[in-house]
mmCIF file of all heavy atoms in Angstrom:
data_model
loop_
_atom_site.group_PDB
_atom_site.id
_atom_site.type_symbol
_atom_site.label_atom_id
_atom_site.label_comp_id
_atom_site.label_asym_id
_atom_site.label_seq_id
_atom_site.Cartn_x
_atom_site.Cartn_y
_atom_site.Cartn_z
ATOM 1 N N PHE A 269 -18.267 17.652 -2.762
ATOM 2 C CA PHE A 269 -17.939 16.674 -1.732
ATOM 3 C C PHE A 269 -18.913 15.498 -1.755
ATOM 4 O O PHE A 269 -18.511 14.363 -1.497
ATOM 5 C CB PHE A 269 -17.937 17.311 -0.340
ATOM 6 C CG PHE A 269 -17.663 16.304 0.743
ATOM 7 C CD1 PHE A 269 -16.368 15.916 1.019
ATOM 8 C CD2 PHE A 269 -18.710 15.719 1.444
ATOM 9 C CE1 PHE A 269 -16.111 14.947 1.986
ATOM 10 C CE2 PHE A 269 -18.462 14.763 2.416
ATOM 11 C CZ PHE A 269 -17.156 14.380 2.688
ATOM 12 N N ALA A 270 -20.181 15.754 -2.039
ATOM 13 C CA ALA A 270 -21.171 14.660 -2.072
ATOM 14 C C ALA A 270 -20.762 13.583 -3.070
ATOM 15 O O ALA A 270 -20.923 12.387 -2.808
ATOM 16 C CB ALA A 270 -22.552 15.218 -2.425
ATOM 17 N N ASP A 271 -20.219 13.996 -4.203
ATOM 18 C CA ASP A 271 -19.756 13.017 -5.204
ATOM 19 C C ASP A 271 -18.492 12.315 -4.729
ATOM 20 O O ASP A 271 -18.331 11.101 -4.912
ATOM 21 C CB ASP A 271 -19.491 13.719 -6.538
ATOM 22 C CG ASP A 271 -20.763 14.222 -7.194
ATOM 23 O OD1 ASP A 271 -21.832 13.640 -6.925
ATOM 24 O OD2 ASP A 271 -20.688 15.197 -7.966
ATOM 25 N N PHE A 272 -17.590 13.082 -4.122
ATOM 26 C CA PHE A 272 -16.358 12.484 -3.604
ATOM 27 C C PHE A 272 -16.678 11.451 -2.531
ATOM 28 O O PHE A 272 -16.088 10.366 -2.501
ATOM 29 C CB PHE A 272 -15.464 13.585 -3.032
ATOM 30 C CG PHE A 272 -14.191 13.085 -2.417
ATOM 31 C CD1 PHE A 272 -13.165 12.589 -3.198
ATOM 32 C CD2 PHE A 272 -14.016 13.117 -1.031
ATOM 33 C CE1 PHE A 272 -11.988 12.124 -2.628
ATOM 34 C CE2 PHE A 272 -12.839 12.659 -0.456
ATOM 35 C CZ PHE A 272 -11.823 12.162 -1.255
ATOM 36 N N GLU A 273 -17.622 11.798 -1.654
ATOM 37 C CA GLU A 273 -18.005 10.851 -0.608
ATOM 38 C C GLU A 273 -18.629 9.590 -1.204
ATOM 39 O O GLU A 273 -18.291 8.468 -0.810
ATOM 40 C CB GLU A 273 -18.996 11.501 0.367
ATOM 41 C CG GLU A 273 -19.438 10.548 1.475
ATOM 42 C CD GLU A 273 -20.476 11.147 2.400
ATOM 43 O OE1 GLU A 273 -21.077 12.181 2.045
ATOM 44 O OE2 GLU A 273 -20.695 10.574 3.491
ATOM 45 N N LYS A 274 -19.517 9.764 -2.167
ATOM 46 C CA LYS A 274 -20.239 8.624 -2.744
ATOM 47 C C LYS A 274 -19.321 7.680 -3.503
ATOM 48 O O LYS A 274 -19.375 6.452 -3.321
ATOM 49 C CB LYS A 274 -21.340 9.137 -3.679
ATOM 50 C CG LYS A 274 -22.116 8.027 -4.388
ATOM 51 C CD LYS A 274 -23.194 8.611 -5.292
ATOM 52 C CE LYS A 274 -23.950 7.508 -6.017
ATOM 53 N NZ LYS A 274 -25.000 8.079 -6.911
ATOM 54 N N TRP A 275 -18.463 8.234 -4.375
ATOM 55 C CA TRP A 275 -17.689 7.404 -5.290
ATOM 56 C C TRP A 275 -16.307 7.028 -4.779
ATOM 57 O O TRP A 275 -15.697 6.081 -5.290
ATOM 58 C CB TRP A 275 -17.558 8.106 -6.641
ATOM 59 C CG TRP A 275 -18.874 8.311 -7.307
ATOM 60 C CD1 TRP A 275 -19.549 9.479 -7.494
ATOM 61 C CD2 TRP A 275 -19.721 7.288 -7.843
ATOM 62 N NE1 TRP A 275 -20.746 9.264 -8.124
ATOM 63 C CE2 TRP A 275 -20.873 7.924 -8.350
ATOM 64 C CE3 TRP A 275 -19.606 5.900 -7.964
ATOM 65 C CZ2 TRP A 275 -21.903 7.213 -8.958
ATOM 66 C CZ3 TRP A 275 -20.629 5.192 -8.570
ATOM 67 C CH2 TRP A 275 -21.764 5.851 -9.049
ATOM 68 N N VAL A 276 -15.816 7.741 -3.785
ATOM 69 C CA VAL A 276 -14.484 7.430 -3.261
ATOM 70 C C VAL A 276 -14.573 6.860 -1.853
ATOM 71 O O VAL A 276 -14.231 5.700 -1.625
ATOM 72 C CB VAL A 276 -13.572 8.683 -3.285
ATOM 73 C CG1 VAL A 276 -12.199 8.354 -2.695
ATOM 74 C CG2 VAL A 276 -13.423 9.200 -4.714
ATOM 75 N N ILE A 277 -15.061 7.663 -0.902
ATOM 76 C CA ILE A 277 -15.032 7.224 0.499
ATOM 77 C C ILE A 277 -16.018 6.088 0.766
ATOM 78 O O ILE A 277 -15.625 5.004 1.212
ATOM 79 C CB ILE A 277 -15.328 8.409 1.441
ATOM 80 C CG1 ILE A 277 -14.325 9.539 1.218
ATOM 81 C CG2 ILE A 277 -15.272 7.943 2.895
ATOM 82 C CD1 ILE A 277 -14.624 10.795 2.007
ATOM 83 N N LYS A 278 -17.285 6.330 0.511
ATOM 84 C CA LYS A 278 -18.312 5.335 0.856
ATOM 85 C C LYS A 278 -18.123 4.033 0.081
ATOM 86 O O LYS A 278 -18.234 2.931 0.644
ATOM 87 C CB LYS A 278 -19.707 5.894 0.591
ATOM 88 C CG LYS A 278 -20.831 5.011 1.121
ATOM 89 C CD LYS A 278 -22.182 5.664 0.922
ATOM 90 C CE LYS A 278 -23.273 4.846 1.619
ATOM 91 N NZ LYS A 278 -23.321 3.455 1.130
ATOM 92 N N LYS A 279 -17.824 4.165 -1.208
ATOM 93 C CA LYS A 279 -17.639 2.960 -2.020
ATOM 94 C C LYS A 279 -16.461 2.144 -1.519
ATOM 95 O O LYS A 279 -16.523 0.911 -1.430
ATOM 96 C CB LYS A 279 -17.430 3.347 -3.476
ATOM 97 C CG LYS A 279 -17.423 2.168 -4.440
ATOM 98 C CD LYS A 279 -17.359 2.640 -5.881
ATOM 99 C CE LYS A 279 -17.415 1.448 -6.831
ATOM 100 N NZ LYS A 279 -17.325 1.881 -8.256
ATOM 101 N N ALA A 280 -15.364 2.816 -1.162
ATOM 102 C CA ALA A 280 -14.186 2.114 -0.649
ATOM 103 C C ALA A 280 -14.469 1.461 0.700
ATOM 104 O O ALA A 280 -14.086 0.308 0.942
ATOM 105 C CB ALA A 280 -13.013 3.077 -0.541
ATOM 106 N N VAL A 281 -15.152 2.177 1.589
ATOM 107 C CA VAL A 281 -15.473 1.634 2.909
ATOM 108 C C VAL A 281 -16.367 0.398 2.789
ATOM 109 O O VAL A 281 -16.129 -0.625 3.444
ATOM 110 C CB VAL A 281 -16.151 2.711 3.789
ATOM 111 C CG1 VAL A 281 -16.754 2.088 5.050
ATOM 112 C CG2 VAL A 281 -15.145 3.794 4.163
ATOM 113 N N ASP A 282 -17.395 0.473 1.954
ATOM 114 C CA ASP A 282 -18.284 -0.678 1.754
ATOM 115 C C ASP A 282 -17.521 -1.879 1.218
ATOM 116 O O ASP A 282 -17.745 -3.024 1.642
ATOM 117 C CB ASP A 282 -19.417 -0.306 0.784
ATOM 118 C CG ASP A 282 -20.425 0.637 1.406
ATOM 119 O OD1 ASP A 282 -20.423 0.777 2.647
ATOM 120 O OD2 ASP A 282 -21.214 1.251 0.660
ATOM 121 N N GLU A 283 -16.609 -1.633 0.279
ATOM 122 C CA GLU A 283 -15.855 -2.741 -0.314
ATOM 123 C C GLU A 283 -14.919 -3.375 0.709
ATOM 124 O O GLU A 283 -14.824 -4.604 0.794
ATOM 125 C CB GLU A 283 -15.051 -2.231 -1.518
ATOM 126 C CG GLU A 283 -14.409 -3.348 -2.313
ATOM 127 C CD GLU A 283 -13.784 -2.862 -3.608
ATOM 128 O OE1 GLU A 283 -14.154 -1.775 -4.090
ATOM 129 O OE2 GLU A 283 -12.912 -3.583 -4.134
ATOM 130 N N ILE A 284 -14.242 -2.559 1.485
ATOM 131 C CA ILE A 284 -13.335 -3.091 2.505
ATOM 132 C C ILE A 284 -14.097 -3.917 3.534
ATOM 133 O O ILE A 284 -13.659 -5.004 3.938
ATOM 134 C CB ILE A 284 -12.582 -1.938 3.197
ATOM 135 C CG1 ILE A 284 -11.599 -1.285 2.216
ATOM 136 C CG2 ILE A 284 -11.840 -2.439 4.438
ATOM 137 C CD1 ILE A 284 -11.000 0.016 2.711
ATOM 138 N N ASN A 285 -15.252 -3.430 3.963
ATOM 139 C CA ASN A 285 -16.023 -4.138 4.986
ATOM 140 C C ASN A 285 -16.586 -5.463 4.501
ATOM 141 O O ASN A 285 -16.825 -6.362 5.308
ATOM 142 C CB ASN A 285 -17.171 -3.245 5.487
ATOM 143 C CG ASN A 285 -16.691 -2.153 6.427
ATOM 144 O OD1 ASN A 285 -15.577 -2.187 6.921
ATOM 145 N ND2 ASN A 285 -17.538 -1.170 6.659
ATOM 146 N N HIS A 286 -16.822 -5.601 3.212
ATOM 147 C CA HIS A 286 -17.419 -6.830 2.691
ATOM 148 C C HIS A 286 -16.406 -7.720 1.979
ATOM 149 O O HIS A 286 -16.775 -8.715 1.361
ATOM 150 C CB HIS A 286 -18.581 -6.493 1.760
ATOM 151 C CG HIS A 286 -19.771 -5.948 2.483
ATOM 152 N ND1 HIS A 286 -19.896 -4.603 2.773
ATOM 153 C CD2 HIS A 286 -20.870 -6.548 3.006
ATOM 154 C CE1 HIS A 286 -21.032 -4.404 3.437
ATOM 155 N NE2 HIS A 286 -21.641 -5.564 3.593
ATOM 156 N N ALA A 287 -15.133 -7.360 2.089
ATOM 157 C CA ALA A 287 -14.071 -8.208 1.548
ATOM 158 C C ALA A 287 -13.409 -8.948 2.706
ATOM 159 O O ALA A 287 -13.683 -8.682 3.874
ATOM 160 C CB ALA A 287 -13.053 -7.359 0.784
ATOM 161 N N PHE A 288 -12.515 -9.858 2.375
ATOM 162 C CA PHE A 288 -11.896 -10.700 3.399
ATOM 163 C C PHE A 288 -10.625 -10.038 3.913
ATOM 164 O O PHE A 288 -9.537 -10.610 3.862
ATOM 165 C CB PHE A 288 -11.592 -12.078 2.796
ATOM 166 C CG PHE A 288 -11.453 -13.153 3.826
ATOM 167 C CD1 PHE A 288 -12.518 -13.500 4.634
ATOM 168 C CD2 PHE A 288 -10.263 -13.831 3.969
ATOM 169 C CE1 PHE A 288 -12.395 -14.512 5.576
ATOM 170 C CE2 PHE A 288 -10.132 -14.843 4.905
ATOM 171 C CZ PHE A 288 -11.188 -15.184 5.699
ATOM 172 N N THR A 289 -10.739 -8.807 4.385
ATOM 173 C CA THR A 289 -9.584 -8.102 4.921
ATOM 174 C C THR A 289 -9.543 -8.262 6.437
ATOM 175 O O THR A 289 -10.453 -8.838 7.038
ATOM 176 C CB THR A 289 -9.654 -6.602 4.579
ATOM 177 O OG1 THR A 289 -10.744 -6.005 5.289
ATOM 178 C CG2 THR A 289 -9.863 -6.389 3.082
ATOM 179 N N SER A 290 -8.511 -7.721 7.056
ATOM 180 C CA SER A 290 -8.341 -7.892 8.505
ATOM 181 C C SER A 290 -9.024 -6.799 9.310
ATOM 182 O O SER A 290 -9.002 -6.842 10.536
ATOM 183 C CB SER A 290 -6.843 -7.903 8.851
ATOM 184 O OG SER A 290 -6.250 -6.674 8.467
ATOM 185 N N ILE A 291 -9.631 -5.816 8.629
ATOM 186 C CA ILE A 291 -10.222 -4.695 9.364
ATOM 187 C C ILE A 291 -11.676 -4.454 8.961
ATOM 188 O O ILE A 291 -12.110 -4.843 7.871
ATOM 189 C CB ILE A 291 -9.421 -3.389 9.142
ATOM 190 C CG1 ILE A 291 -9.379 -3.020 7.647
ATOM 191 C CG2 ILE A 291 -8.024 -3.515 9.720
ATOM 192 C CD1 ILE A 291 -8.738 -1.668 7.358
ATOM 193 N N VAL A 292 -12.409 -3.800 9.852
ATOM 194 C CA VAL A 292 -13.768 -3.312 9.590
ATOM 195 C C VAL A 292 -13.758 -1.834 9.962
ATOM 196 O O VAL A 292 -13.155 -1.448 10.975
ATOM 197 C CB VAL A 292 -14.822 -4.066 10.422
ATOM 198 C CG1 VAL A 292 -16.219 -3.514 10.160
ATOM 199 C CG2 VAL A 292 -14.774 -5.550 10.119
ATOM 200 N N ILE A 293 -14.413 -1.005 9.158
ATOM 201 C CA ILE A 293 -14.315 0.432 9.378
ATOM 202 C C ILE A 293 -15.667 1.133 9.241
ATOM 203 O O ILE A 293 -16.615 0.589 8.663
ATOM 204 C CB ILE A 293 -13.315 1.090 8.409
ATOM 205 C CG1 ILE A 293 -13.738 0.849 6.955
ATOM 206 C CG2 ILE A 293 -11.917 0.567 8.630
ATOM 207 C CD1 ILE A 293 -12.785 1.427 5.923
#
């Protein structure tokens, strides 16, 4: 799970938050 969190969840959340999307998570 630590790898899944690092490379899938956390990486995706960081990218969404720092892109020009309509949401912050």
